């Protein structure tokens, strides 16, 4: 069990304001991931980035987040969920302030890595606070649906907000906007969440496990982000692959011998958590890759400006938010497995319809049937997979369970996007010509196929969670 008071005694159900703070924490994470995309050209021009190095404004965040999520999840269990929430929010605020003032490319890339570490601490702390403050069942499902709606909205609204801020105030504004929001979250979390209680000195933090897991996963995510663009046979890629395998192997050895392992072995016997980890990886590899290809379609094929592209994502944002709420209700009505199968089937049908509508002279309304089906399925699956990841997990393990599921989310996204870009013929922000549209459509059809296969696998799988019918 956890060393915190929240794991030892039942907690009174919090009022709506704490949930609003937790949802806002997820909104900040989602916004911070997406808001810099539309600012990249201005950042590159303003700080003198080379075309090759500009990608690290995004990649540094992804690599750091993916590498530290497991450590962040266990830290929430052992050091206190409220403590980690406050520390992570303050880390976001401070690094965002430095980012807006960054004088050189190196400083900005370092800032993005620190923001990624902040996200790796904030995400599992936020999720484990929800899963321990709210009892398993309808209350937790409803809270996760609200939290999920905030995250889904942030992924889509980030593009719009980034476009507006860059055009009105310049690229530093996409960093400065986080400072008051993250600072307010730290204060609100300190005031509204239950105290963690004293640390249990009899429990030891698995330092060796933390170092090997963090190093191995960080190198793995680095490899998956860097190799598709630079090549899989480069010295950096080969060195990353070898070191990652060595560190993750050493991590497995350390965990078997540790008295207080970073990842308790009992979690790998939890069938529902393992299934949820598979779903999060597939979700990120498919659903989460759609905005990348839609952005290419809007901006490169149809010539949308940053603000227009952001506006084009408003409908997906609203539909995904509706899907998160529908998913929560569907769990109660049909059970977890059936809801996830339905959500992924809807997503597959929507991606197929979207792929057919992506044409050189197609209008935005022609995309809406696919967008609606895809968004509803995405929202429902997002809520359902986090309900599945927390179901039946002891309160003292909720943080590391969240870290495991969110790590597979990050790794799945890196693998999925790399594979889809390769299938699409290597399309990117600077691609042009008729091959670009064909590549985008190929990627979207592949997303439909992958999501459909996931639905079939879940249909054949019994006992995804303890709440499955």
């Amino acid at each position: 069990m956890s060393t915190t008071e929240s794991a030892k005694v039942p907690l009174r159900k919090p009022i709506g304001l704490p949930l609003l703070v937790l949802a806002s924490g997820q909104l900040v994470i989602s916004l911070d991931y997406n808001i810099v995309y539309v600012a990249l050209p201005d950042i590159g021009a303003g700080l003198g980035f080379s075309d090759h190095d500009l990608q690290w404004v995004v990649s540094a965040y992804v690599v750091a987040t993916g590498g530290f999520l497991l450590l962040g999840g266990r830290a929430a269990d052992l050091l206190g969920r409220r403590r980690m929430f406050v520390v992570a929010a303050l880390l976001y605020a401070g690094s965002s302030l430095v980012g807006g003032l960054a004088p050189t490319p190196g400083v900005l890339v370092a800032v993005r890595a620190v923001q990624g570490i902040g996200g790796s601490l904030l995400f599992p702390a936020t999720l484990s606070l929800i899963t321990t403050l709210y009892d398993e069942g309808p209350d937790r499902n409803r809270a996760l649906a609200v939290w999920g709606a905030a995250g889904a909205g942030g992924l889509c609204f980030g593009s719009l907000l980034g476009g507006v801020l860059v055009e009105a105030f310049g690229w530093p504004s996409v960093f400065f906007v986080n400072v008051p929001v993250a600072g307010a979250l730290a204060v609100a979390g300190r005031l509204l969440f239950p105290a963690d209680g004293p640390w249990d000195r009899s429990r030891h933090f698995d330092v060796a496990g933390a170092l090997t897991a963090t190093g191995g996963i960080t190198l793995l995510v680095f490899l998956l982000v860097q190799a598709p663009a630079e090549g899989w046979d480069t010295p950096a890629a080969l060195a990353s692959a070898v070191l990652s395998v060595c560190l993750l192997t050493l991590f497995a050895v350390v965990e078997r011998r540790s008295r207080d392992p970073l990842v308790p072995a009992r979690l790998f016997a939890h069938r529902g958590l393992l299934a949820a980890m598979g779903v999060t990886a597939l979700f990120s590899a498919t659903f989460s890759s759609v905005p990348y290809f839609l952005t290419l379609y809007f901006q490169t094929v149809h010539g949308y400006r940053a603000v227009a592209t952001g506006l084009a994502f408003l409908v997906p944002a609203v539909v995904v938010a509706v899907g998160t709420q529908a998913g929560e209700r569907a769990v109660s009505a049909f059970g977890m497995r059936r809801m996830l199968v339905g959500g992924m089937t809807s997503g597959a049908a929507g991606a197929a319809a979207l792929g057919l509508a992506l044409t050189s002279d197609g209008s935005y309304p022609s995309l809406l049937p696919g967008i609606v089906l895809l968004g509803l399925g995405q929202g429902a699956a997002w809520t359902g997979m986090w309900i599945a990841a927390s179901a039946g997990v002891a309160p003292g393990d909720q943080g590391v369970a969240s870290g495991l599921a969110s790590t597979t989310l990050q790794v799945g996204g890196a693998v999925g996007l790399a594979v889809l870009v390769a299938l699409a013929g290597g399309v990117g922000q600077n691609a042009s010509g008729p091959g670009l549209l064909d590549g985008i459509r190929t990627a979207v059809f592949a997303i439909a196929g992958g999501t459909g296969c996931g639905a079939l696998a879940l249909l054949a799988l019994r006992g995804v969670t303890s709440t499955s019918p």
Side-chain angles (χ1 to χ4, degrees):
M1 297 292 289
S2 170
T3 61
T4 63
E5 287 297 321
S6 58
K8 296 178 180 178
V9 297
L11 293 168
R12 63 183 181 86
K13 188 181 302 182
I15 58 175
L17 193 55
L19 179 57
L20 177 63
V21 174
L22 291 168
S24 299
Q26 175 63 6
L27 180 65
V28 166
I29 295 172
S30 300
L31 282 173
D32 199 54
Y33 178 79
N34 259 27
I35 198 171
V36 299
Y37 274 103
V38 296
L40 286 178
D42 293 83
I43 291 173
L47 293 182
F49 273 92
S50 68
D51 291 340
H52 177 271
D53 293 335
L54 186 59
Q55 64 162 324
W56 281 103
V57 176
V58 175
S59 297
Y61 185 93
V62 174
V63 171
T65 302
F68 283 80
L69 273 167
L70 196 56
L71 177 61
R74 200 51 174 164
D77 287 334
L78 296 180
L79 305 181
R81 299 178 180 94
R82 187 180 75 169
R83 290 189 186 101
M84 296 313 300
F85 182 93
V86 172
V87 167
L90 290 175
L91 193 60
Y92 253 116
S95 59
S96 296
L97 178 61
V98 176
L101 300 172
T104 63
V107 171
L108 187 61
V109 170
V111 163
R112 290 292 287 167
V114 173
Q115 285 184 319
I117 295 173
S120 69
L121 300 178
L122 186 60
F123 189 95
T126 301
L127 188 54
S128 61
L129 276 166
I130 289 178
T131 55
T132 52
L133 289 173
Y134 291 88
D135 294 332
E136 186 173 334
D139 288 340
R140 182 186 294 176
N141 296 351
R142 191 175 304 113
L144 285 170
V146 173
W147 172 83
L155 287 175
C156 294
F157 284 116
S159 298
L160 175 60
L161 180 60
V164 171
L165 288 174
V166 169
E167 291 197 5
F169 305 106
W171 69 262
S173 60
V174 302
F175 293 95
F176 289 143
V177 71
N178 282 327
V179 177
V181 177
L185 283 177
V187 173
R190 182 70 176 80
L191 294 176
L192 294 174
F193 299 148
D196 293 312
W199 295 350
D200 185 350
R201 303 296 180 180
S202 65
R203 297 294 302 274
H204 296 88
F205 200 84
D206 182 11
V207 177
L211 291 175
T212 53
T214 299
I217 296 171
T218 300
L219 287 168
L220 175 61
V221 178
F222 172 83
L223 173 69
L224 295 172
V225 169
Q226 183 78 350
E230 300 297 321
W232 294 91
D233 57 351
T234 62
L238 294 174
S240 297
V242 171
L243 287 174
S244 177
V245 170
C246 291
L247 285 172
L248 291 177
T249 302
L250 183 59
F251 168 69
V253 173
V254 168
E255 292 301 276
R256 292 188 63 181
R257 299 180 178 180
S258 176
R259 184 174 62 181
D260 290 311
L262 183 71
V263 181
R266 59 184 174 272
L267 290 180
F268 292 109
H270 194 292
R271 193 176 178 189
L273 176 59
L274 294 179
M277 290 167 63
V279 173
T280 59
L282 180 62
F283 177 98
S284 190
T286 54
F287 286 117
S288 296
S289 299
V290 172
Y292 175 85
F293 294 100
L294 276 183
T295 299
L296 283 178
Y297 179 74
F298 291 141
Q299 292 190 334
T300 308
V301 176
H302 285 288
Y304 287 15
R305 296 186 63 185
V307 174
T309 300
L311 289 171
F313 278 106
L314 285 179
V315 172
V318 172
V319 175
V320 170
V322 171
T324 62
Q325 306 306 304
E328 178 261 319
R329 291 173 174 82
V331 169
S332 300
F334 304 109
M336 180 64 62
R337 183 171 61 89
R338 291 175 182 169
M339 188 280 291
L340 284 172
V341 169
M344 299 189 80
T345 301
S346 173
L354 183 61
L356 292 173
L358 294 173
T359 61
S360 59
D361 57 353
S363 64
Y364 184 78
S366 68
L367 305 178
L368 291 180
I371 284 175
V372 170
L373 280 174
L374 181 66
L376 289 174
Q378 180 178 354
W382 176 264
T383 297
M385 68 190 192
W386 296 115
I387 295 174
S390 64
V393 176
D397 290 331
Q398 285 290 344
V400 71
S402 302
L404 284 168
S406 50
T407 297
T408 55
L409 185 78
Q410 289 289 324
V411 174
V415 172
L417 188 58
V419 170
L420 290 168
V421 168
L423 285 174
V427 299
Q429 294 290 349
N430 296 320
S432 60
L436 172 62
L437 181 57
D438 290 339
I440 292 172
R441 294 183 64 178
T442 298
V444 173
F445 284 132
I447 289 169
T451 309
C453 289
L456 291 175
L458 284 173
L459 191 62
L461 182 64
R462 296 285 178 179
V464 171
T465 73
S466 58
T467 60
S468 297

